[in-house]
Amino acid sequence: GEPRDARRADPGGHGSGGRGGDSHLPGGPGVRVDTALYTGYEVPPYYDSLVAKVLVHASTRLEAILTRHAPTAPLDLLNQQNIIRDVPPELRRLLTLALHISAATKNAFNPLAVTLAEAKRQGIHGNEMKRLETLAEPKALRLDDTGLRLESAELLCSLDGIAKGFIVDAISSVLCRHQVFNHLINAGGDIFAGGSPGNQHSWNLGILNAEGEIARMIPLRDMALATSGNSESLARGYEHILPVPCSEAK
């Protein structure tokens, strides 16, 4: 859902109500609006600033297709069987993008890196880890007209590093098609800020440090921001961002 905040400050700096003007609410397949607003509605002084919520179907549908954590999801089946024949078009499009980014970054982004992360969590290191590093190159993920397959049963595929951003873009597109241009979407750290809230020039986002304090404020307007959450992972005893050797990053 995309919450719309109608907060407006009176001269004393407190929230205030007011009469609603003409409104055009989005609708159609896959879109739901929860609100009590209508044209001419008088918002009382003691109101909930969340006066309208827009929910879109795109997010849950794409999550079901792109996740690797559900037993019936395509990626989970791939990791269990090493091959799937029926590749949903959205997954095929995202995999194509992932492999393109892998090539552009000289494998700094790798959809098979989860193989190494899981091995590290299991205590694997030394020569065995080096063998897996060689095995888990993006070229071991094969996508063609016959389907999708992994070249080894030891490999795992994950699009966690890119799927949420893909879903956020899809949600933003749905909202814009329905004339909701001012919106802030946060999918667990993958954020898109469209337009701005009220009369402000931009959305102001706070980045938390490991202690849960705001370390930096970032203004965002019609732009995206991706955060890693690595400090939270380290607090749980593991990390999901793996270092890339300097020779590979050049």
Side-chain angles (χ1 to χ4, degrees), residues 148-162:
L148 176 66
R149 64 185 182 277
L150 296 169
E151 292 294 289
S152 169
E154 297 179 84
L155 294 174
L156 297 170
C157 178
S158 171
L159 296 173
D160 291 356
I162 192 174

Side-chain angles (χ1 to χ4, degrees), residues 2-5 168-169 171-177 179-186 190-205 218-225:
E2 187 270 316
R4 302 297 306 280
D5 195 325
V168 165
D169 286 346
I171 295 173
S172 179
S173 296
V174 171
L175 292 173
C176 287
R177 285 202 303 271
Q179 309 299 309
V180 183
F181 299 111
N182 298 321
H183 55 263
L184 181 68
I185 305 168
N186 181 5
D190 284 74
I191 301 166
F192 181 80
S196 62
N199 295 324
Q200 299 182 43
H201 180 265
S202 63
W203 298 89
N204 294 311
L205 308 182
I218 298 178
L220 219 60
R221 181 187 177 97
D222 297 325
M223 297 179 66
L225 174 70

Side-chain angles (χ1 to χ4, degrees), residues 93-180:
R93 188 159 64 248
L94 187 57
L95 283 166
T96 300
L97 176 60
L99 294 173
H100 173 76
I101 294 174
S102 293
T105 60
K106 299 186 185 301
N107 297 348
F109 175 80
N110 183 356
L112 302 184
V114 65
T115 305
L116 308 179
E118 291 298 325
K120 188 173 182 179
R121 291 181 64 182
Q122 295 172 19
I124 296 174
H125 54 81
N127 291 335
E128 179 63 12
M129 181 62 81
K130 291 181 180 179
R131 183 186 69 82
L132 287 175
E133 288 176 356
T134 302
L135 190 67
E137 293 186 358
K139 64 182 181 181
L141 179 64
R142 300 297 182 91
L143 176 66
D144 54 35
D145 293 340
T146 65
L148 176 66
R149 64 185 182 277
L150 296 169
E151 292 294 289
S152 169
E154 297 179 84
L155 294 174
L156 297 170
C157 178
S158 171
L159 296 173
D160 291 356
I162 192 174
K164 286 193 295 184
F166 184 83
I167 294 172
V168 165
D169 286 346
I171 295 173
S172 179
S173 296
V174 171
L175 292 173
C176 287
R177 285 202 303 271
H178 292 279
Q179 309 299 309
V180 183

Side-chain angles (χ1 to χ4, degrees), residues 62-68 75 90-91 94 159 163 166-167:
L62 286 176
E63 182 181 359
I65 293 173
L66 303 178
T67 184
R68 65 181 176 94
L75 285 180
E90 296 89 349
L91 177 57
L94 187 57
L159 296 173
F166 184 83
I167 294 172

